[in-house]
Every structure is written in structure tokens, then in C-alpha cells.
Amino acid sequence: MTTMIKLFKSKVINFSLIAFGVVAFCKVEMVEAQASHFFRTYKRETPQKLPEDQNAVAEGKKVYEKRCWYCHGITGTGDGPSSRTMFPRPRNFTRNEFKVRSTPFGSVPTDEDLFRIITSGIEGTAMPFWSTISEAERWQVIYYIKTFNEQFKKETSPAVLGVESAVATQESIEKGRELFKQVKCFNCHGEEGRGNGPLTVALQTQWGMSYRARDLTQSWNYKGGSTAGDIYRTISTGFNETPMGSYKETLSDEERWSLAHYVESLSKKMASDVVVKVKLLEEGELPDHPADEVWGLAAPLEIPLAGQIIAHPRLWEPAIDSMMIRGLYNDREIAFLVEWDDRTNLQEDIFRDAVSLQFPVKIPESLKKPYFGMGDSGGVVNLWQWKACWKEGFGSIAETPVNEPGEIVELNAKGFKKISVQSPENQDVMGEGLHDNGRWKVVFKRPLKTEGGKKDIQFEIGKLIPIAFAVWDGSNGDAGSQKSVSSWYYILLEKPMPKTVFVYVLVAVVMGASVELWFLARLRRFPPKSEEEDQ
């Protein structure tokens, strides 16, 4: 048995490595079409049920032992061999841990609820969508899963929440905003919904519990869908065995809809692309501070991230799944502003919040690039790394002091184990970080050209330059190769508008006006004859 488990673990790791590469490739390909395609769509329709009999349960057992046991365990207790690499852990079917339901708090879900989850998967977890198996198999495995929990036998017909659609208005959103404060949603989800409320932070940092409130600004991570109707259902039914309880008895139907409309207004879609367009700032200096209003001139781009699982030690439970970047440049320098949500700002000597930008040291002339995981022996990368400030005794959840903006260092790498820090005279990157209300904002700034030679990327206007990202969350125990990463993306320094364009426009306007005046003058000199004059 031990040998079988070891073999299985090796297969899981190999599969994970392959899956990571496939996901990274697919993300780059799919992002060009639409960022919303990254994530699952919660399905609401269910087909006609199969009869629930012993034959269906027996067939469901076969499906479970082929598809589900390695996460949920042979006995359904959520302790499969892959479970320890997952956050949150797979559901324990012997307990009433079912989250996405249309039934009252504490009740088991309906068969239709389970069918929707098996079909759609759950965002922010390792639960994939199983629309790839037949509808019959999905019903069968549901009937088998129900045998793990006696409560399904007791609640044969649980009450179902009716969801009547209500249209969002500015009035309902404002009412929801007040209710968000009134019922103290901010204790878990934070003042701006980033999941950084004091209760969530205390559970994570002071008591070491793994509970994390959802970041309500990230619609792609909502469990069970992100429409107002989905949010209304969650507010009404709650999530079993979590601090997220039901508000059905506390708030009226109208109030729950208003709260749902407000939460929906907090969320955003992932606006992403393959290319980060770096805008030319024709006048003035590039901003040094993360809060500078000049950054509003640059279009933001959201970058999906995943846990680094290629090199040991791996990050199986990433706390950060996306970051945002903006870029500006002028005739001398280039600057980037990167942002990501981080609940705690908790720093330790080893486990510190950090972010790095990675470039090849030379702009590729072909599609071949260094390995996105810290380069390789055949392709050196240039890294700009920022780390949050830390000193003995520092480690609170307060905002980073203004006079301690963190530190930036330039490095080179030929792989995870071949990293070197550039000499002090070649440290050309400057910048600082700011932690504000559950979000990090970090500025990187450097001359377009440096004296670093083969160690530094040299920026050129109009060329696609590969860029990759890595983010560490100190409070999650991220350090070294345990980090959230992206595959290669690109930056493009937009070409300045040639002044001759305005000359051409002026010439075109003058020529158009001249032609029109010539025709008018000709018509006046030789007016067309009427039919009577011709006769």
C-alpha cells in the first residue's frame, strides 16, 4: 500500500507539472479573446433526474472511485491523497459542509444543488467542473455521495429558497451600503470588501486558522456565481460550517436584495490581455509614489497568477491569484505600478510580502524566450524585486510607515538555484511600496537604458518585450520558490504620435476646403440651366 501511495503521489506531481504548463499556455491564448473565459460559469439549469435506486448508487460508486476519491477520500471524509496540497480542503461528505445550496442554513443541499456544483465546479478551490462526464454519471455519483451522510435520509424534501429577480437601482445599492455597515459585514470582508476585515485578519494571524473571507472585489472567486441572484442566495442561505451565516431571519427580502446589489457593485471583472501597453508621458516627471494621480493616465491590466509548483518547495495553497499593472515612460525613464490585494501586511524576517518583475536580459528576436520560471542555462533573466520593510519587532497589521517604503534589488537568474545579486553600482531600479486598506501598491522606476550591459534589459520603443511576475504573501508563509507566479506576458512602449500627422491632417483639411470652394465658384460662374431655358 505504501508503494502504491508513493507511486500515486509521483503521478499527481507529474500531472500537476503538466497541468501547470497547460494552464499557463491556455491562459495566454484565452486572454486574447476574453478574460472572463479564465473562470468557470455557474450553471443553473438541471436536466431530468434519473431514478434514485440501488443500481444508480452502484454505478455512482464506480464514478466516485474513478473521479473523486483522490480528493474526497474513499470514505468521503475529505482526506484523499491530494487533499493536503489544497486550500480550502475538499468537502467532508460525512459532515454537512455543503456551501452552495438553495436550502436553509444547516440543511443539506438538494440533488439539483449538487448537480449544479458538479457541473460548474467551485471558483477559488480545486473543485473542477465535471461537465465532461455524462449527465447520467453526474446523477449517479450524487446518489452515491448522499450515502456518506445520514442527514440526506432525514431531509428527503428540504425547503428551497425562492429567488425572484429584483432590478438594481442606485437607491437599492445605497441602501445595501448602509446594511453592509449595519449588519457588520465589514468585520470579515473589510470596509471596501477586500476580505481584510479585523475578524478575518485575527483568525488568520492571531489564532492561525485558515479561514479567509472572500474578496468581494474579485467576482471570479465568488462561490456559486457572482450575479445578484447568486449573491442573494448566499446571503439568504449562508455557508454551512463557516462564519458566513444566513441573514434570512435577520433581513427582509427587500433588504437582502439591496445588500446583494451593493456587493455586486463592489465586484469587478478581470480586465486582462497579453500585452501591457506602456503609455508615453510627454510632459513632466514619471511618478515616484504609488498614490500619485498621474497613474490614472495609464490603462490597468489584471494578470492571473497561480501557485509555483514546478520547483521544490512548491506553493500548493496560494493566497494571491491576480495582480494589476500599469506602465508609463518618457524619453529617459520607464515606471511600473503593480497592485495586489493582501489582507494583513504582516511581515517577518523570512516571510515578507514581496513582488518581482522578470525580463529576459535581451529582447528576443524570435518566439524563443528564457524559461518563465527564473530563466534557464540558455536564457538569463533580469529581476526587479521589491520586499516590504521589516525590522526587529515589526510585524503588525498596521499600514507600512511612510518613511519605510520597503527595499528594491536587481538580480539575475539562470534557474531557481542560480540567482545572483547585481553589484551596488549596477542597482538602477528605484521605487517604493504602500499598503493601504488591504492592498499593496508598489512602484518600480528605472532608466530606459543602463550601463548594466548583458545583465539588464534595455527597453526599446515599439517592440514586444516579455515580462513575467511573482508575488509573495508573507502571512501565507510564502518564501523563496513558494510564490504566486505568471507565465510570460509582454509590454509594449507605445510609439509617440509623429508631429507630421497633424501636418497631414491640416493639409487634408485645406485641400478638401479648396476643392469645395473651387466647385462653388464654378457653379456660380456657370450655373446649370433650367428645363425652361433649354426649351
Side-chain angles (χ1 to χ4, degrees), residues 44 87 111 208 423 452 477:
R44 293 165 184 81
F87 180 84
D111 293 351
S423 60

mmCIF file with all atom_site columns, all heavy atoms in Angstrom, residues 44 87 111 208 423 452 477:
data_model
loop_
_atom_site.group_PDB
_atom_site.id
_atom_site.type_symbol
_atom_site.label_atom_id
_atom_site.label_alt_id
_atom_site.label_comp_id
_atom_site.label_asym_id
_atom_site.label_entity_id
_atom_site.label_seq_id
_atom_site.pdbx_PDB_ins_code
_atom_site.Cartn_x
_atom_site.Cartn_y
_atom_site.Cartn_z
_atom_site.occupancy
_atom_site.B_iso_or_equiv
_atom_site.pdbx_formal_charge
_atom_site.auth_seq_id
_atom_site.auth_comp_id
_atom_site.auth_asym_id
_atom_site.auth_atom_id
_atom_site.pdbx_PDB_model_num
ATOM 1  N N   . ARG A 1 44  ? -27.086 26.993 -13.898 1.00 0.00 ? 44  ARG A N   1
ATOM 2  C CA  . ARG A 1 44  ? -28.299 26.945 -13.080 1.00 0.00 ? 44  ARG A CA  1
ATOM 3  C C   . ARG A 1 44  ? -29.307 25.914 -13.546 1.00 0.00 ? 44  ARG A C   1
ATOM 4  O O   . ARG A 1 44  ? -30.126 25.447 -12.775 1.00 0.00 ? 44  ARG A O   1
ATOM 5  C CB  . ARG A 1 44  ? -28.949 28.341 -13.048 1.00 0.00 ? 44  ARG A CB  1
ATOM 6  C CG  . ARG A 1 44  ? -28.082 29.355 -12.311 1.00 0.00 ? 44  ARG A CG  1
ATOM 7  C CD  . ARG A 1 44  ? -28.500 30.786 -12.570 1.00 0.00 ? 44  ARG A CD  1
ATOM 8  N NE  . ARG A 1 44  ? -27.565 31.686 -11.898 1.00 0.00 ? 44  ARG A NE  1
ATOM 9  C CZ  . ARG A 1 44  ? -26.382 32.014 -12.391 1.00 0.00 ? 44  ARG A CZ  1
ATOM 10 N NH1 . ARG A 1 44  ? -25.972 31.509 -13.535 1.00 0.00 ? 44  ARG A NH1 1
ATOM 11 N NH2 . ARG A 1 44  ? -25.585 32.837 -11.727 1.00 0.00 ? 44  ARG A NH2 1
ATOM 12 N N   . PHE A 1 87  ? -6.113  24.153 -0.723  1.00 0.00 ? 87  PHE A N   1
ATOM 13 C CA  . PHE A 1 87  ? -6.788  25.104 0.158   1.00 0.00 ? 87  PHE A CA  1
ATOM 14 C C   . PHE A 1 87  ? -7.875  25.801 -0.650  1.00 0.00 ? 87  PHE A C   1
ATOM 15 O O   . PHE A 1 87  ? -7.582  26.354 -1.698  1.00 0.00 ? 87  PHE A O   1
ATOM 16 C CB  . PHE A 1 87  ? -5.814  26.144 0.715   1.00 0.00 ? 87  PHE A CB  1
ATOM 17 C CG  . PHE A 1 87  ? -6.526  27.122 1.626   1.00 0.00 ? 87  PHE A CG  1
ATOM 18 C CD1 . PHE A 1 87  ? -6.733  26.797 2.961   1.00 0.00 ? 87  PHE A CD1 1
ATOM 19 C CD2 . PHE A 1 87  ? -7.014  28.321 1.139   1.00 0.00 ? 87  PHE A CD2 1
ATOM 20 C CE1 . PHE A 1 87  ? -7.413  27.685 3.795   1.00 0.00 ? 87  PHE A CE1 1
ATOM 21 C CE2 . PHE A 1 87  ? -7.696  29.202 1.965   1.00 0.00 ? 87  PHE A CE2 1
ATOM 22 C CZ  . PHE A 1 87  ? -7.894  28.886 3.300   1.00 0.00 ? 87  PHE A CZ  1
ATOM 23 N N   . ASP A 1 111 ? -30.667 17.652 -4.585  1.00 0.00 ? 111 ASP A N   1
ATOM 24 C CA  . ASP A 1 111 ? -29.938 16.942 -5.640  1.00 0.00 ? 111 ASP A CA  1
ATOM 25 C C   . ASP A 1 111 ? -29.563 17.909 -6.758  1.00 0.00 ? 111 ASP A C   1
ATOM 26 O O   . ASP A 1 111 ? -28.479 17.812 -7.346  1.00 0.00 ? 111 ASP A O   1
ATOM 27 C CB  . ASP A 1 111 ? -30.794 15.810 -6.213  1.00 0.00 ? 111 ASP A CB  1
ATOM 28 C CG  . ASP A 1 111 ? -31.050 14.708 -5.200  1.00 0.00 ? 111 ASP A CG  1
ATOM 29 O OD1 . ASP A 1 111 ? -30.422 14.733 -4.122  1.00 0.00 ? 111 ASP A OD1 1
ATOM 30 O OD2 . ASP A 1 111 ? -31.886 13.827 -5.489  1.00 0.00 ? 111 ASP A OD2 1
ATOM 31 N N   . GLY A 1 208 ? -4.190  31.478 13.939  1.00 0.00 ? 208 GLY A N   1
ATOM 32 C CA  . GLY A 1 208 ? -3.640  30.507 12.992  1.00 0.00 ? 208 GLY A CA  1
ATOM 33 C C   . GLY A 1 208 ? -4.683  29.691 12.268  1.00 0.00 ? 208 GLY A C   1
ATOM 34 O O   . GLY A 1 208 ? -4.369  28.612 11.758  1.00 0.00 ? 208 GLY A O   1
ATOM 35 N N   . SER A 1 423 ? 25.833  43.987 -8.609  1.00 0.00 ? 423 SER A N   1
ATOM 36 C CA  . SER A 1 423 ? 26.720  44.808 -7.788  1.00 0.00 ? 423 SER A CA  1
ATOM 37 C C   . SER A 1 423 ? 26.045  46.140 -7.451  1.00 0.00 ? 423 SER A C   1
ATOM 38 O O   . SER A 1 423 ? 25.152  46.600 -8.172  1.00 0.00 ? 423 SER A O   1
ATOM 39 C CB  . SER A 1 423 ? 28.027  45.071 -8.541  1.00 0.00 ? 423 SER A CB  1
ATOM 40 O OG  . SER A 1 423 ? 27.762  45.755 -9.755  1.00 0.00 ? 423 SER A OG  1
ATOM 41 N N   . GLY A 1 452 ? 24.371  48.488 -17.443 1.00 0.00 ? 452 GLY A N   1
ATOM 42 C CA  . GLY A 1 452 ? 24.455  47.114 -16.964 1.00 0.00 ? 452 GLY A CA  1
ATOM 43 C C   . GLY A 1 452 ? 24.850  46.098 -18.016 1.00 0.00 ? 452 GLY A C   1
ATOM 44 O O   . GLY A 1 452 ? 25.080  44.936 -17.709 1.00 0.00 ? 452 GLY A O   1
ATOM 45 N N   . GLY A 1 477 ? 3.054   32.335 4.552   1.00 0.00 ? 477 GLY A N   1
ATOM 46 C CA  . GLY A 1 477 ? 4.256   31.505 4.621   1.00 0.00 ? 477 GLY A CA  1
ATOM 47 C C   . GLY A 1 477 ? 5.005   31.424 3.314   1.00 0.00 ? 477 GLY A C   1
ATOM 48 O O   . GLY A 1 477 ? 5.825   30.519 3.116   1.00 0.00 ? 477 GLY A O   1
#
